[in-house]
Amino acid sequence: MVDRFAALKNGMNWYALKVFHNKISAVEAGLVAMGDCECYVPKKEVVTVTSDGRKTSHMRPAISGLLFLKVADCRIRQIKDSINGHAMFYAASDGSPAVIPEREMVMFRLVTSAQADGLEYLSDNVADYSVGQRVRVLQGSFKGAEGFIRRIRGNRRLVVSISGICAVATSYIPASFLERLP
């Protein structure tokens, strides 16, 4: 894993990649093999029943075709060349790869790595989910996460988003577990 302080000194940032043709594992392995980068793929546990009735569980990407990459800015050109045809960077308004703020990524990883039941992944149209009271979770499996409270299907849920890319909504969170933020 990349040291957070070394990342700041080396100009490392988070980026999101859209991976084509269900090749997340192959693209991730290729990027890790190049070295000096960190990959994150939000995953969820999927339980399937085999033909003989046994249940098996395995991890699958929670959001199809989405891979996050933390890498030094000076390596972007090299990575673009290596993933050409297999993936593309989500772009900022000027066409350059969109940098994801470290704080957004930390909150997103906190929520998605909890492997809690009831997580719901939302589209990249996060404007629909970013209005509401900003809160911090004080207790439970999402302790420390910050986001916005929204009512989704009648339940109070914490929504953590990465602007322009995706959002994730937790399961119901009791009001007593929340602290309002300015």
Side-chain angles (χ1 to χ4, degrees):
M1 182 170 277
V2 177
D3 179 11
R4 182 174 290 173
F5 296 109
L8 292 173
K9 287 189 283 187
N10 296 332
M12 293 182 77
N13 289 306
W14 282 103
Y15 300 92
L17 295 171
K18 174 66 178 164
V19 180
F20 308 124
H21 310 296
N22 202 21
K23 300 287 185 192
I24 286 183
S25 296
V27 170
E28 181 180 16
L31 291 170
V32 169
M34 291 175 70
D36 294 331
C37 67
E38 178 182 352
C39 293
Y40 178 69
V41 177
K43 295 187 177 186
K44 65 180 177 181
E45 184 177 21
V46 177
V47 177
T48 56
V49 179
T50 62
S51 59
D52 61 356
R54 288 183 295 130
K55 291 183 180 181
T56 61
S57 68
H58 51 282
M59 300 301 282
R60 284 201 179 146
I63 304 171
S64 179
L66 181 63
L67 181 140
F68 295 98
L69 173 68
K70 188 172 192 174
V71 67
D73 297 341
C74 63
R75 300 214 32 234
I76 295 294
R77 171 69 16 222
Q78 177 188 12
I79 289 173
K80 277 185 172 182
D81 292 342
S82 74
I83 64 172
N84 190 22
H86 300 287
M88 64 178 238
F89 282 91
Y90 278 83
S93 59
D94 65 357
S96 65
V99 175
I100 300 170
E102 181 74 25
R103 182 156 181 76
E104 281 186 19
M105 198 63 203
V106 167
M107 291 301 143
F108 186 79
R109 287 181 75 172
L110 176 70
V111 171
T112 59
S113 64
Q115 295 299 316
D117 290 335
L119 288 182
E120 184 174 345
Y121 293 88
L122 308 169
S123 73
D124 61 351
N125 186 10
V126 295
D128 297 338
Y129 308 105
S130 62
V131 289
Q133 179 64 50
R134 186 160 172 74
V135 297
R136 176 182 301 124
V137 180
L138 300 175
Q139 296 179 37
S141 58
F142 304 116
K143 182 178 180 178
E146 295 178 10
F148 293 91
I149 288 298
R150 297 289 295 166
R151 284 218 177 263
I152 300 175
R153 294 186 193 93
N155 289 322
R156 181 184 313 111
R157 297 169 77 170
L158 176 72
V159 175
V160 176
S161 65
I162 295 182
S163 299
I165 298 172
C166 62
V168 61
T170 66
S171 54
Y172 169 79
I173 297 180
S176 61
F177 285 17
L178 302 173
E179 170 188 37
R180 288 184 180 192
L181 296 175

